Amino acid sequence: MTRRLGPIFSVVLSLLLLTVPVYAQEEADWNLQFQKQIHSWMDALSMRDSQFKQWKNAKTDVQTLGANQHQWLVSITQSGKQVGYLVVGELPSPKGAEKFVLLEYGLGEYILFDDAFAPREIAAEPVYDGFASHWLLTQSPNTQLVNAKTGEFYPAEFSASEPVMETLPPDELVQEGQELTQTKVLKPQESSPFDQIGWVHDLSEATARSDVTWPQLWEQQGDEPVTLTVPLYHAQVLAPFVVGSLHLWNDQHAYVGVWDEGLRFVPYTYARRVGQFHIQ
């Protein structure tokens, strides 16, 4: 019996050894394409927006977000100091033709899913969904959510809403080969949404919600504060943000930068879907 298994085992082992170089080459090609793309976006931002000048020749570190989500967090450092991040997604595509999209990017020393704020529980899973990004704790008596930007523990009864970011059509997101073509700064310094509270009055009005178009946002001046309010976790949290900057990629893909312990840029279509803009 042993003699018969010997040749079979040798054949199987040979086949496995033959596949190893193939997988290794595919992984190397994927990493090369991924690094090329993220540095292309970093160069575009550092050249077109002076707020991102520290991104030039900066170092990167990549971590996977969640299991089988095809999303990655790229931490960006300059001279050992955190200066920003990218959140990159991958679209389904034929083998060997990866397509990456830019889901979010941020400026400053406080990034999403920072190890300094990460829960110490072993089963803390990073879950990315724009403003609703969180760590998910599943080994506690009750499932619990932890804010991905601040490390704040939400009450145990809070639960995540249906994800929105992953439902955005690819043509609403920045993809490979696209350049940052227009930028506008509304608030160059970190601002609190509670410095001007006209948006609170808007929320209390029993009137139908009115959308603010991208041209209306672009027409605003720095002395006219714009606030974005976002209900999170089945409207159990209301998160207000001051709009600081606007970006337009390839003159068609709009991203809104809000102040949140640094600047966070998300697709305008996503921000409009999950929240409400208030022009004062």
Side-chain angles (χ1 to χ4, degrees):
M1 187 68 175
T2 303
R3 293 179 183 177
R4 294 178 181 177
L5 288 176
I8 296 175
F9 177 77
S10 298
V11 171
V12 173
L13 180 60
S14 299
L15 291 174
L16 289 174
L17 291 175
L18 287 173
T19 60
V20 170
V22 175
Y23 287 131
Q25 184 60 50
E26 288 179 353
E27 183 177 0
D29 291 344
W30 187 96
N31 286 332
L32 180 63
Q33 186 175 346
F34 184 84
Q35 290 292 331
K36 179 180 178 181
Q37 184 53 58
I38 62 175
H39 282 91
S40 174
W41 284 329
M42 290 169 60
D43 290 343
L45 286 161
S46 64
M47 289 188 297
R48 292 287 301 175
D49 189 337
S50 61
Q51 297 177 110
F52 289 80
K53 61 184 179 182
Q54 287 184 299
W55 283 28
K56 186 175 180 60
N57 300 321
K59 295 182 178 181
T60 60
D61 182 68
V62 181
Q63 75 175 73
T64 303
L65 295 178
N68 302 317
Q69 296 301 306
H70 296 278
Q71 296 172 342
W72 294 268
L73 173 69
V74 182
S75 173
I76 302 171
T77 57
Q78 182 66 266
S79 302
K81 180 182 179 182
Q82 189 75 53
V83 294
Y85 68 92
L86 305 169
V87 179
V88 180
E90 183 181 24
L91 300 176
S93 61
K95 187 176 179 180
E98 289 81 12
K99 289 189 176 181
F100 301 111
V101 291
L102 190 53
L103 300 174
E104 178 177 335
Y105 50 100
L107 185 66
E109 61 179 309
Y110 300 108
I111 68 171
L112 290 177
F113 302 106
D114 194 324
D115 289 341
F117 301 105
R120 299 309 171 199
E121 288 81 351
I122 296 176
E125 177 187 355
V127 178
Y128 176 73
D129 187 30
F131 295 125
S133 298
H134 58 271
W135 281 283
L136 179 64
L137 307 184
T138 56
Q139 287 191 345
S140 302
N142 297 304
T143 299
Q144 193 164 16
L145 309 176
V146 181
N147 188 291
K149 193 73 186 285
T150 65
E152 174 190 1
F153 278 71
Y154 291 117
E157 62 270 19
F158 279 26
S159 61
S161 303
E162 287 297 315
V164 175
M165 187 66 78
E166 66 181 29
T167 66
L168 295 181
D171 59 5
E172 295 181 358
L173 302 169
V174 171
Q175 301 184 31
E176 301 172 55
Q178 297 181 346
E179 297 292 333
L180 180 61
T181 49
Q182 297 184 55
T183 69
K184 183 170 185 176
V185 176
L186 298 181
K187 288 290 181 182
Q189 303 296 328
E190 182 99 30
S191 300
S192 168
F194 298 100
D195 290 341
Q196 301 284 342
I197 59 173
W199 56 270
V200 176
H201 175 73
D202 291 346
L203 290 174
S204 65
E205 288 291 314
T207 56
R209 168 178 166 171
S210 60
D211 287 331
V212 174
T213 65
W214 177 255
Q216 286 177 304
L217 280 181
W218 194 265
E219 292 170 359
Q220 299 310 302
Q221 304 301 319
D223 57 350
E224 301 172 342
V226 180
T227 306
L228 173 66
T229 55
V230 184
L232 300 172
Y233 308 113
H234 300 285
Q236 295 183 93
V237 174
L238 180 67
F241 305 98
V242 173
V243 177
S245 294
L246 305 174
H247 281 173
L248 198 59
W249 295 76
N250 270 32
D251 293 326
Q252 59 179 333
H253 298 302
Y255 281 60
V256 177
V258 301
W259 285 109
D260 181 25
E261 300 293 337
L263 274 174
R264 294 181 67 177
F265 286 82
V266 297
Y268 163 74
T269 53
Y270 162 78
R272 187 177 61 176
R273 187 179 302 183
V274 300
Q276 181 177 359
F277 288 100
H278 309 269
I279 297 177
Q280 300 177 38

